[in-house]
Amino acid sequence: MNVKIILAIAIFSAASYSVDAQTTTTGRPAATNRQRIKQGVNSGELNRAEAARLKVQNAKLIKEKKAARADGTVTPDERQDIRQDQKTLSKRIYRQKHDRQTRR
């Protein structure tokens, strides 16, 4: 009986750990954007000016999220606006990384 309980706890722990690992990469778009920008700089796909612009835009997105949460409730309109800005920034990062400009 104790073996079954321990086995059940172990399986549940492993399952919840894998779920946590999946949500950490998708649950924080600003951190993911920072990582993508950093990777682009390290690989030479982004030059300094491009990286600086993208970092500023990412910082503005973070401020927008904080402002939306400041009153305790994120309205559907605010949520939609944030998602749209996130999508736009993600596309900008992709375009800048693939525009054949390289670091000098």
Side-chain angles (χ1 to χ4, degrees), residues 10 18 35-36 45 55 59 80 97:
S18 66
Q35 185 178 21
R36 290 175 63 204
E45 293 174 317
K55 286 178 183 179
Q80 182 180 6
K97 286 177 75 173

Side-chain angles (χ1 to χ4, degrees), residues 15-75:
S16 65
Y17 177 74
S18 66
V19 170
D20 288 342
Q22 292 171 358
T23 57
T24 55
T25 56
T26 59
R28 299 191 50 198
T32 302
N33 288 339
R34 267 194 306 269
Q35 185 178 21
R36 290 175 63 204
I37 294 167
K38 184 177 179 181
Q39 185 276 331
V41 170
N42 291 340
S43 69
E45 293 174 317
L46 293 175
N47 60 37
R48 289 182 183 146
E50 291 171 337
R53 268 193 310 274
L54 293 170
K55 286 178 183 179
V56 167
Q57 292 169 358
N58 195 37
K60 287 181 182 179
L61 182 63
I62 292 169
K63 282 185 179 181
E64 182 181 357
K65 286 180 181 181
K66 285 183 181 180
R69 280 191 243 137
D71 63 353
T73 304
V74 180
T75 65

